[in-house]
Amino acid sequence: MQVQDDLTLIKLLGKGSFGEVYLSTIKGRNRYFATKKIKRQIVDKPSLKKYFENEIEILKQLDHQNIVRLEEIKKTNDYYFIVMEYINGGGLSDCLKKYMKLNNNKAFPEQIVQHLMKQIIETLYYIHSRKIIHRDLKLDNIMVNFYSNEDKENLDMMKARIKIIDFGFAIQLDKKNLTYTAVGSPINMDPIILNKFAKRKDVDSGYDTKADIWSIGTVCYELLTGKAVFAGKTIKDLADKVDKGNYSLPKSLSQETVSFLNVMLQYDSKSRYSAEELLKHPFLTKNVNFFTKFNQKNTL
């Protein structure tokens, strides 16, 4: 499907809440792109337009190898076409599912998680240094770009670069360095934001970049175990479980890994490590082969 003289949509890659994503080409450029096709009548609604415009504005500010690159925006009378770099490996969620299917339902080993988390935390450090909070970090918003088609076919996660996407809920902090809006995905939410969703205590509390650290802690847990660290049938049930803070860990995990999870999944954000501090943590700086076996009970 030719949209304009230079943009051609080749095939559908997937569907989202507001539109479709296509593999595409641009005349004169010798590579593929991913193009979001979004109906203007949907996005131009006041309740959604601010998130659409916000994502575009935030992405224009960011230039990092682990953040999806915005190429250009095209529009017709009926659609917006958001042209972005093409990422060949799909979502990290799908990669984890494929890996578990191939490995007797076992999640990623510590070596792979270290490789992925180092990239994620380096990217967060870059984002947070610009006083930007993503606010919707989850497996589905982390894409994987393999170095080659062979690496992709072999699902070689050690030869993959992550790409963080979907900055619709991202926000740049003001001088107070706090924000108050409750947005994101409940299962990955900072406790303060979750309490706002559940209409419980702390509804008037603000939060900062440490909210992303909690979310990435939940992502790291899922990469290591294949399941959510906290889950509930309702938002209130989920919030109650987060309040209690009990979660189990495989006995096979090392002391460095348990510590790494623990400093991210601190209920009180002031006790949570920042991205800068996490980059110095032994889990990211030490050779996995020399990690220390965790000898205590498998519950923090």
Side-chain angles (χ1 to χ4, degrees):
M1 178 195 305
Q2 192 161 356
V3 176
Q4 295 181 346
D5 291 340
D6 59 344
L7 176 63
T8 301
L9 306 184
I10 300 173
K11 68 175 182 178
L12 181 68
L13 294 175
K15 295 183 179 181
S17 302
F18 305 120
E20 301 166 331
V21 180
Y22 288 86
L23 182 69
S24 56
T25 57
I26 295 178
K27 188 176 181 180
R29 302 196 203 179
N30 190 28
R31 56 193 170 99
Y32 289 118
F33 299 90
T35 299
K36 290 184 182 180
K37 178 184 176 183
I38 307 170
K39 286 186 178 180
R40 294 185 65 167
Q41 67 179 28
I42 294 177
V43 180
D44 285 343
K45 292 178 181 178
S47 59
L48 297 178
K49 191 170 185 179
K50 62 179 181 179
Y51 294 116
F52 174 73
E53 293 178 340
N54 180 68
E55 179 171 18
I56 301 303
E57 185 59 36
I58 292 287
L59 284 174
K60 284 180 178 178
Q61 297 180 46
L62 302 176
D63 182 14
H64 192 277
Q65 63 180 1
N66 296 118
I67 296 175
V68 65
R69 186 173 61 253
L70 173 65
E71 298 287 345
E72 57 183 287
I73 303 169
K74 297 178 178 294
K75 57 185 177 181
T76 62
N77 291 333
D78 298 318
Y79 293 96
Y80 287 110
F81 295 92
I82 314 302
V83 184
M84 312 185 86
E85 68 173 309
Y86 171 61
I87 303 169
N88 65 21
L92 188 51
S93 178
D94 289 335
C95 289
L96 177 60
K97 290 175 184 175
K98 289 176 184 176
Y99 185 92
M100 293 178 69
K101 187 174 181 179
L102 293 170
N103 291 274
N104 297 317
N105 210 36
K106 291 182 180 179
F108 291 140
E110 289 171 314
Q111 185 180 24
I112 288 178
V113 177
Q114 181 192 58
H115 174 69
L116 298 172
M117 288 302 299
K118 187 171 184 179
Q119 296 179 67
I120 293 169
I121 300 301
E122 285 175 345
T123 313
L124 278 191
Y125 174 69
Y126 170 81
I127 295 170
H128 291 172
S129 68
R130 284 153 179 76
K131 296 188 180 297
I132 293 172
I133 317 176
H134 186 283
R135 300 201 296 181
D136 197 20
L137 289 166
K138 55 185 178 180
L139 288 180
D140 287 338
N141 284 340
I142 302 172
M143 305 288 283
V144 178
N145 198 64
F146 290 97
Y147 298 163
S148 69
N149 286 330
E150 183 181 2
D151 297 332
K152 178 182 175 181
E153 289 298 319
N154 294 332
L155 199 64
D156 190 344
M157 299 303 298
M158 296 300 294
K159 294 181 179 178
R161 175 171 290 161
I162 67 99
K163 297 278 186 175
I164 294 178
I165 65 167
D166 201 344
F167 283 77
F169 287 150
I171 189 170
Q172 192 150 26
L173 295 172
D174 57 21
K175 293 180 180 179
K176 294 180 180 178
N177 288 332
L178 289 175
T179 189
Y180 296 82
T181 311
V183 296
S185 303
I187 205 165
N188 303 102
M189 275 181 180
D190 176 290
I192 286 178
I193 310 175
L194 184 60
N195 280 325
K196 292 175 185 292
F197 256 65
K199 297 181 179 179
R200 300 167 74 233
K201 58 186 179 182
D202 296 331
V203 291
D204 296 324
S205 299
Y207 57 92
D208 58 15
T209 54
K210 294 283 188 72
D212 281 346
I213 302 300
W214 174 278
S215 297
I216 285 304
T218 68
V219 166
C220 186
Y221 183 93
E222 193 166 352
L223 293 176
L224 288 161
T225 67
K227 59 184 179 181
V229 58
F230 298 109
K233 294 180 180 179
T234 64
I235 298 296
K236 184 181 182 303
D237 183 31
L238 175 61
D240 288 342
K241 289 182 178 179
V242 170
D243 273 355
K244 292 177 182 176
N246 297 322
Y247 56 92
S248 61
L249 290 164
K251 294 178 181 179
S252 59
L253 292 184
S254 67
Q255 181 175 302
E256 287 80 1
T257 302
V258 172
S259 171
F260 187 65
L261 284 167
N262 192 33
V263 296
M264 290 187 287
L265 295 174
Q266 290 290 317
Y267 190 93
D268 182 355
S269 64
K270 292 179 181 178
S271 300
R272 238 172 271 159
Y273 273 29
S274 66
E276 183 176 12
E277 290 170 323
L278 287 172
L279 286 174
K280 300 172 185 176
H281 191 281
F283 178 79
L284 296 184
T285 60
K286 194 173 178 181
N287 189 309
V288 175
N289 294 324
F290 301 111
F291 277 5
T292 308
K293 185 171 177 58
F294 189 64
N295 296 316
Q296 301 177 39
K297 293 181 180 179
N298 64 325
T299 302
L300 289 177

